Amino acid sequence: MTTNSSPQLWLYDTTLRDGTQREGLSVSIEDKLRIAKRLDQLGIPFIEGGWPGANPKDVQFFWQLQENPLKQAEIVAFCSTRRPNTTAATEPMLQDILAAGTRWVTIFGKSWDLHVTTGLKTTLEENLAMISDTIEYLRSQGRRIIYDAEHWFDGYKHNRDYALQTLEAAIASGAEWLVLCDTNGGTLPHEISQIVQDVVRVTGEWGMGHGVWGMGKESTRSPMPNAQSPMPQIGIHTHNDSEMAVANAIAAVMAGAKMVQGTINGYGERCGNANLCSLIPNLQLKAGYSCITEDQLTQLTEASRFVSEVVNLAPDEHAPFVGRSAFAHKGGIHVSAVERNPLTYEHIQPEQVGNSRRIVISEQSGLSNVLAKARSFGIELDQQKAEAREILQRLKDLESEGFQFEAAEASFVLLMHEALGDRQQFFEVKGFQVHCDLIEGKETSNALATVKVAVEGKNILEAAEGNGPVAALDAALRKALVNFYPQIASFDLTDYKVRILNGHTGTAAKTRVLVESGNGHQRWTTVGVSTNILAASYQAVVEGLEYGLLLQSQGSAALKASG
């Protein structure tokens, strides 16, 4: 828990620049604007928006933010130092940076002599001049500078003296933040700690000797948006190639770093960047630093899922803190213990990061799992009565046949209602047929499904086409039912997964189908299992429609009761 006296850390989000370098991730201007606004609401002080001039998308992004600024965050433009043997004042890319109109600019420069001589193909002295000239020019144009020391830790380990010279050049030219970058992601936490401590010590000694870093006594440079301090501060930027990004960032903070750079969900090139969704709660709830407000921290899970939705990447269900399974309990002993005291198997309260506890049911479940899961759906079971143990036994029997209810909770709810004798019979499928035409030379096949359904004592026969047998079956069912249940028109089949359970039996293998459905507000998953993939799909699709109708009827009943 943070207090008013908690040390302040400054978060710097680079999801919109470094994060978008992840393979398979692409965002539009509108996507970037939506994410920036969500990060602003989360309380992130610095949001790196991209490299103006690198592509038209980033140019438009910064222009639009000039028209509609963020509420509290500083939007930051990103760029490299000028090219060798030129001048910053004549460098076209720096004009694009100025046109972006941001108060803060992050400039990255080379720290590793190998990159200077091999990558830039210039001299060590010219690289220092590139750093100084670029920062001095942007400072003369009224910009405040964050200096990213690229490949800092590799450079330090290979040539400490030169690496430190690059920092001294940045400081003397007016940089307010020195961010040490583990660009290759290969450094270990003990190395991070030692090197950051050395940098903090050395830069402190420089400050004592140089006054206000050659800026003159009238300087009001400050490393924070609304604070006054003549001393440049240290930041950390880590990559996850050794799966050490979060640990390395925390080690740097413990050694004196005041800014932490990272991305939402750890998105980034290769193996990704430090994951802010793990860093923020670890630093704030456990290490006692102040990052964002407690209310903003409760938005973390929602922000994580929002960003994953916008960038069209499936969320990591097992991600620490924000994953759907982060506070899921499956073992019967665990569940009964958590029911008595959550501290037994939870390191924080899920609500602190906007997440929630889940009780998972499976063949490993005990009666405590079933009771807890039933309560989460508003069903009160009496453990002394036969129904509770019947549900548990039915669960274990079905999972031994290949059903999986931890991933299909909607089917488990229907199973409980059936055992209790109060499962609503919205409709009954009397039978179905599916016919497929595979036309040679065409990539897709047409399917025709015919279903016979009994609703309110009437037999309905309907047929529908689809681009596959499951789509056709789903369409025919909806067509047969929509006149009786108009709300079905708002149901969508949002995901369809198939798994072969015993592949050694070849085409006679048993198949498990998971179908995810939604109504625009809620999502639910149902399961079907059969040696016939169409029969398994039929089970899951039918139960998906049935559960959606159950939700609708429960909502209507609650509305009537409240009215």
Side-chain angles (χ1 to χ4, degrees):
M1 186 69 67
T2 60
T3 66
N4 291 335
S5 59
S6 300
Q8 177 72 52
L9 282 181
W10 295 87
L11 301 174
Y12 182 111
D13 182 278
T14 180
T15 304
L16 300 178
R17 202 272 308 170
D18 221 349
T20 59
Q21 293 180 194
R22 171 179 167 137
E23 184 178 3
L25 192 156
S26 179
V27 289
S28 65
I29 297 171
E30 292 74 19
D31 293 336
K32 292 188 69 167
L33 289 168
R34 291 175 66 198
I35 291 172
K37 291 175 182 177
R38 193 66 190 81
L39 295 174
D40 188 33
Q41 294 172 16
L42 188 60
I44 305 295
F46 293 98
I47 301 172
E48 188 176 85
W51 187 327
N55 58 73
K57 185 189 301 180
D58 281 355
V59 172
Q60 290 289 334
F61 171 77
F62 283 99
W63 285 355
Q64 291 203 32
L65 281 182
Q66 288 182 43
E67 296 293 326
N68 297 287
L70 300 177
K71 292 183 178 180
Q72 62 84 32
E74 292 280 351
I75 196 73
V76 183
F78 179 86
C79 189
S80 71
T81 58
R82 67 160 171 81
R83 291 169 294 179
N85 306 312
T86 62
T87 64
T90 60
E91 179 64 73
M93 68 178 176
L94 294 181
Q95 299 308 309
D96 291 325
I97 292 294
L98 295 175
T102 63
R103 182 160 63 145
W104 287 86
V105 174
T106 293
I107 291 295
F108 76 90
K110 302 298 184 183
S111 308
W112 190 355
D113 55 4
L114 173 69
H115 272 262
V116 175
T117 57
T118 304
L120 293 177
K121 296 182 179 180
T122 191
T123 65
L124 301 184
E125 292 74 18
E126 175 63 9
N127 181 55
L128 296 177
M130 292 159 60
I131 296 170
S132 298
D133 185 25
T134 304
I135 295 175
E136 287 174 356
Y137 175 70
L138 291 172
R139 288 282 297 153
S140 74
Q141 301 299 307
R143 302 303 190 266
R144 300 174 70 176
I145 306 301
I146 298 167
Y147 177 69
D148 274 11
E150 189 185 36
H151 291 100
W152 165 259
F153 293 95
D154 293 310
Y156 180 99
K157 287 186 280 187
H158 285 84
N159 188 338
R160 174 182 180 273
D161 290 343
Y162 182 72
L164 288 172
Q165 286 179 46
T166 64
L167 292 188
E168 190 169 19
I171 292 172
S173 305
E176 300 183 45
W177 284 99
L178 305 175
V179 179
L180 311 180
C181 303
D182 186 28
T183 309
N184 285 352
T187 312
L188 295 175
H190 73 281
E191 298 174 294
I192 296 280
S193 181
Q194 293 167 1
I195 295 171
V196 171
Q197 286 178 25
D198 188 33
V199 172
V200 170
R201 178 184 59 79
V202 171
T203 55
E205 292 173 357
W206 290 342
M208 296 295 290
H210 293 181
V212 191
W213 304 108
M215 294 297 293
K217 293 182 180 180
E218 302 303 318
S219 172
T220 58
R221 292 196 303 124
S222 66
M224 286 73 108
N226 296 304
Q228 298 298 320
S229 170
M231 297 290 288
Q233 299 289 319
I234 304 301
I236 184 68
H237 177 113
T238 56
H239 283 256
N240 205 36
D241 298 73
S242 301
E243 205 165 3
M244 293 290 172
V246 169
N248 282 343
I250 293 174
V253 169
M254 297 298 188
K258 303 298 183 186
M259 172 185 282
V260 179
Q261 296 193 356
T263 62
I264 296 296
N265 299 325
Y267 296 147
E269 196 165 18
R270 304 186 311 277
C271 304
N273 289 45
N275 188 349
L276 289 177
C277 296
S278 295
L279 275 171
I280 294 172
N282 271 318
L283 289 167
Q284 185 150 325
L285 297 177
K286 300 190 175 189
Y289 289 90
S290 177
C291 300
I292 55 181
T293 68
E294 290 184 10
D295 286 344
Q296 289 166 336
L297 185 60
T298 63
Q299 302 173 28
L300 187 64
T301 297
E302 181 186 345
S304 166
R305 295 172 185 175
F306 174 85
V307 173
S308 68
E309 187 73 24
V310 171
V311 302
N312 198 28
L313 289 175
D316 181 359
E317 303 284 28
H318 300 278
F321 296 100
V322 297
R324 187 167 179 263
S325 298
F327 301 94
H329 305 281
K330 181 173 179 178
I333 294 175
H334 290 213
V335 172
S336 59
V338 166
E339 288 278 291
R340 291 192 295 269
N341 186 340
L343 289 176
T344 53
Y345 286 99
E346 291 177 354
H347 63 119
I348 67 165
Q349 297 174 12
E351 296 78 15
Q352 290 179 283
V353 291
N355 210 336
S356 59
R357 181 177 305 115
R358 291 177 56 242
I359 303 302
V360 178
I361 42 87
S362 74
E363 79 283 354
Q364 299 180 28
S365 298
L367 190 57
S368 56
N369 295 58
V370 172
L371 296 173
K373 176 57 69 176
R375 280 196 296 273
S376 72
F377 284 97
I379 301 173
E380 287 295 334
L381 294 178
D382 186 342
Q383 63 179 331
Q384 303 301 324
K385 292 188 176 180
E387 291 90 342
R389 297 196 176 277
E390 181 184 337
I391 291 170
L392 178 60
Q393 189 57 51
R394 181 70 174 145
L395 166 70
K396 292 179 181 291
D397 290 343
L398 287 172
E399 293 227 344
S400 70
E401 295 175 16
F403 285 80
Q404 185 187 59
F405 290 101
E406 65 181 86
E409 293 181 342
S411 286
F412 183 66
V413 171
L414 296 176
L415 182 154
M416 287 193 290
H417 281 295
E418 185 172 356
L420 294 170
D422 60 3
R423 183 168 177 172
Q424 291 180 251
Q425 191 76 24
F426 293 100
F427 58 90
E428 180 185 0
V429 178
K430 297 287 190 178
F432 71 91
Q433 290 183 334
V434 179
H435 176 78
C436 292
D437 289 323
L438 182 60
I439 302 174
E440 188 176 354
K442 290 192 175 183
E443 295 183 2
T444 59
S445 61
N446 295 321
L448 173 67
T450 304
V451 297
K452 186 176 183 180
V453 183
V455 190
E456 297 179 0
K458 299 178 182 178
N459 288 326
I460 310 297
L461 183 67
E462 284 289 357
E465 292 183 318
N467 58 7
V470 178
L473 177 61
D474 182 51
L477 281 168
R478 291 165 182 270
K479 191 174 178 182
L481 297 172
V482 71
N483 289 332
F484 297 91
Y485 304 109
Q487 59 268 40
I488 280 181
S490 67
F491 297 175
D492 292 315
L493 195 157
T494 58
D495 199 5
Y496 175 81
K497 297 185 179 76
V498 177
R499 182 176 177 184
I500 303 301
L501 300 180
N502 48 346
H504 63 278
T505 60
T507 55
K510 189 173 285 187
T511 302
R512 179 168 63 224
V513 171
L514 291 174
V515 167
E516 184 184 76
S517 306
N519 58 11
H521 306 288
Q522 298 159 288
R523 290 187 178 187
W524 57 91
T525 302
T526 48
V527 62
V529 174
S530 174
T531 54
N532 183 326
I533 189 173
L534 288 180
S537 301
Y538 149 77
Q539 293 174 40
V541 169
V542 167
E543 288 203 347
L545 293 173
E546 182 181 351
Y547 185 78
L549 292 172
L550 176 63
L551 286 179
Q552 196 81 20
S553 67
Q554 289 175 339
S556 299
L559 190 62
K560 289 178 181 177
S562 64

